[in-house]
Amino acid sequence: MKLLVRHQTMYRYAATAGRVAMRLKLMPTDTRAQKVLEWQVSVNGEPVDGFRANSFGEMEAVWIRHDKLDNAVIVAEGLVETCDTNGVLGWTGGGVPPAYFLRETRLTRMSEAIRNMALALPDGDGPLARLHSLSAAVSDAVAYRSGVTNSGTTAAEAFALGAGVCQDHAQIFIAGARAMGIAARYVTGYLLAEGGVALHETHAWVEALVPDLGWVGFDPSNRVCVTERYLRLASGLDANAAAPIRGSVTVAGDIWIDADVRIAQAEEGVEERQLQRQQQQSLQPSIPQG
């Protein structure tokens, strides 16, 4: 499957920003499940060069401006060919040892309730079956409900609330897997939803390390292993570490953030570049000038 993506994130500053620095993890890499055919990242219309592989083997770049800005518009767009590997990604992760992904963070720290849930799952059929059970248990325990959590909500808080979004499902799964002694990492990327449901933000899921298979992707929010509808961007210990954009700015006043993701399948007989131009044209009215 070929996936066309256009991901725009717009920052608007109430007062002119004097210095903006951003770490961008917006460049997908080739894996067993995806091949990048064309991709570019720009900020305020200027291409961002200098993407380099980090210790995870994933691409990132730092963008810095010292002059004054009223806004910053970051656009990542391109074409990626994906295939269905039943969620199996294999042995990836650069030079970072798998044990690194057993570390707790504030967002993924397990509570007693998460530990009890994870350790109560049957383990007679091996780690893969146990992780499938964990994914289902997280989905059963935490209803998908937007607006009840935020980027600072921890796994323990969302589990106690019994509701959350994909970020919460992923971080609870990670806490549960680590309670079992299984390395797990948070993944950000894009999902071509079934039935034409539009995705306006990035999606999040999990990869867990299974002996003899390597890293395997699970999406507790949709109760599936990762398929060809998923496009992987970056990974980390939690949502903060895997965030596509992180940065700092010197500014007085409020900052507004607006994100929009357009993803479509490039079907046979469709001119891919033409479809990409259509996506760009559909977004142009929302791009600020100056």
Side-chain angles (χ1 to χ4, degrees):
M1 175 182 291
K2 290 182 179 178
L3 299 178
L4 275 167
V5 175
R6 191 177 196 278
H7 174 195
Q8 174 178 297
T9 306
M10 179 170 55
Y11 292 81
R12 290 187 295 116
Y13 309 113
T16 301
R19 178 184 182 276
V20 180
M22 297 180 184
R23 185 200 66 185
L24 305 175
K25 291 187 174 183
L26 287 164
M27 181 72 71
T29 56
D30 291 348
T31 69
R32 177 188 291 188
Q34 66 186 38
K35 180 179 181 182
V36 182
L37 302 178
E38 182 179 339
W39 199 269
Q40 63 180 357
V41 178
S42 64
V43 180
N44 288 350
E46 300 178 0
V48 177
D49 298 320
F51 276 89
R52 299 288 184 272
N54 59 22
S55 57
F56 296 166
E58 299 165 354
M59 305 298 286
E60 66 178 66
V62 175
W63 183 86
I64 300 177
R65 287 288 295 270
H66 295 282
D67 53 340
K68 297 186 181 302
L69 294 175
D70 295 323
N71 55 65
V73 181
I74 303 102
V75 176
E77 56 188 343
L79 179 67
V80 177
E81 185 169 17
T82 62
C83 63
D84 194 345
T85 63
N86 296 314
V88 178
L89 199 62
W91 302 96
T92 66
V96 177
Y100 174 79
F101 293 101
L102 289 169
R103 291 184 181 180
E104 280 189 344
T105 67
R106 187 188 71 83
L107 292 175
T108 61
R109 187 169 298 125
M110 71 188 78
S111 62
E112 184 175 352
I114 294 176
R115 185 196 302 271
N116 291 341
M117 179 267 296
L119 298 185
L121 297 171
D123 62 356
D125 294 326
L128 183 60
R130 201 177 186 195
L131 288 165
H132 279 294
S133 296
L134 175 61
S135 182
V138 172
S139 298
D140 290 341
V142 181
Y144 190 96
R145 192 184 310 157
S146 61
V148 296
T149 58
N150 56 55
S151 60
T153 302
T154 68
E157 290 168 343
F159 192 74
L161 182 63
V165 295
C166 59
Q167 171 179 314
D168 306 299
H169 285 148
Q171 292 186 149
I172 294 168
F173 182 107
I174 290 169
R178 291 173 185 166
M180 299 174 178
I182 298 175
R185 60 193 185 191
Y186 189 102
V187 180
T188 56
Y190 308 107
L191 168 62
L192 177 64
E194 299 277 1
V197 177
L199 177 69
H200 298 290
E201 298 177 345
T202 54
H203 189 52
W205 59 94
V206 177
E207 290 168 355
L209 193 61
V210 179
D212 301 326
L213 288 178
W215 293 99
V216 179
F218 297 86
D219 181 0
S221 294
N222 289 295
R223 297 174 180 262
V224 297
C225 275
V226 170
T227 71
E228 62 184 347
R229 290 178 170 272
Y230 291 73
L231 197 167
R232 186 184 192 280
L233 269 182
S235 64
L237 289 172
D238 57 23
N240 279 343
I245 303 173
R246 300 286 293 177
S248 63
V249 58
T250 302
V251 64
D254 295 329
I255 302 174
W256 293 274
I257 304 173
D258 183 40
D260 187 79
V261 173
R262 305 294 173 94
I263 180 168
Q265 181 181 0
E267 299 177 356
E268 293 293 332
V270 175
E271 177 57 50
E272 295 149 357
R273 289 183 179 277
Q274 180 181 355
L275 183 54
Q276 192 168 5
R277 283 197 297 272
Q278 290 173 348
Q279 288 183 347
Q280 292 170 346
Q281 290 167 359
S282 69
L283 288 179
Q284 282 180 351
S286 65
I287 301 176
Q289 303 298 312

